[in-house]
Structures are given as structure tokens and as C-alpha cells.
Amino acid sequence: MVTRVLMLIYRRPDLTPEQFRKHYEEIHMPLTKDLTGDTFPLSHTRRYIPRSASTPDSSTSTTEYPAIVLGGNSADVEVDCVTELIFRDKEHMQSYFVLPNAPGAAVKLEEEADNFVAKYQTILIEDCAETIPETIPGTKPEPKTWSIKDVWSRWRR
């Protein structure tokens, strides 16, 4: 069964959002792919939180670059990137997380991550629920609950 993991990644406060993204994409990702080899996920999607520049005298990273939000308080949004990893199954996921923790690889990744990450959380995702909008005038599909296995089998067709 397909397994998904979310990583909530917070940039170091001394970096701009652009510096954070550039480092993640151009330095960290190539190193991660190189060190993990065949255990690299089927998909490694990075979603960056859009931020705007504020006054230069702001005291914290989240006030200097407030998140662009559609609702709620932008100061409450501290995460800078939501990363989704998709694995074939739990064994694939476990092998991915074991390999970077092997002697040498773990040190390289942790030291490299310290260059742009303040902190991060890794979260296992189980089932998802999806609501599909009206697609044919006059009809309304029922909300559907689906599993990762369903999504994977639909995607592979």
C-alpha cells in the first residue's frame, strides 16, 4: 500500500525565503538523491509557503517575511515548506529513512540541513478524504473517502 509522509520545514531566520528555496532545491535535494539512491521516494514534492517582504526593522523571520494567507493571521504561519514524500509501501519508506541515518550519510545530511533549516517535523499520513466539486451541470458527486492505495492505483493507470 502506498505510504505518504509530510515534512513541515522551517527556514533559518537569517535566510530570506528565496535563499531557503534556492538552497533546498540546488544543494539539499541533489545531496539527498545522491545519498539515498534507490530508496529515494516515488515522489518528493515541495510546496513553498508564499511570503512577502515587510519593513526591514522587523524582529523575527515570520514578521519580516509574513506568509500570504487567505484567512487567519499570517504571523501564525511559521512553516516555510510542506514536503510530501510518496513511497511504494512502508518497507520502501523505512529503507529511505534508514539509509540517510547510516554512518556518514546521516552526518552529511544533518550538517547540510543546518545550513538552511531551523527545525522540521516528519508526519506519517494515513487515509485522505477528498471532496470533488460539481463537474456536470445539475449533478453533484458524493464526497468520497479514499485510501492512498486507491490513489496510487488510479495514478498508475
Side-chain angles (χ1 to χ4, degrees), residues 79-148:
V79 67
D80 287 280
C81 184
V82 178
T83 299
E84 181 182 33
L85 310 175
I86 300 176
F87 300 94
R88 281 185 304 277
D89 49 35
K90 285 191 177 183
E91 291 76 24
H92 180 203
M93 176 194 69
Q94 290 167 341
S95 67
Y96 173 78
F97 284 106
V98 166
L99 189 62
N101 290 307
V107 172
K108 281 183 186 176
L109 280 174
E110 285 300 319
E111 285 178 352
E112 201 298 299
D114 288 343
N115 291 319
F116 75 111
V117 174
K119 66 178 180 175
Y120 67 91
Q121 289 113 15
T122 304
I123 306 160
L124 177 65
I125 302 298
E126 298 258 329
D127 290 332
C128 300
E130 177 183 32
T131 302
I132 300 171
E134 186 175 310
T135 55
I136 301 172
T139 65
K140 204 173 204 177
E142 293 294 317
K144 181 181 178 194
T145 300
W146 47 270
S147 71
I148 298 302

Side-chain angles (χ1 to χ4, degrees), residues 15-69:
L15 298 177
T16 67
E18 294 78 20
Q19 291 169 322
F20 169 81
R21 181 183 182 136
K22 181 176 174 67
H23 191 97
Y24 197 173
E25 295 298 326
E26 295 178 11
I27 298 171
H28 191 77
M29 283 309 304
L31 177 64
T32 301
K33 286 176 73 175
D34 185 48
L35 290 175
T36 58
D38 292 341
T39 69
F40 193 77
L42 299 174
S43 173
H44 191 293
T45 305
R46 293 158 308 282
R47 294 178 177 94
Y48 296 94
I49 305 304
R51 295 188 175 276
S52 62
S54 174
T55 58
D57 59 356
S58 298
S59 61
T60 68
S61 177
T62 55
T63 57
E64 186 175 354
Y65 300 100
I68 299 171
V69 298

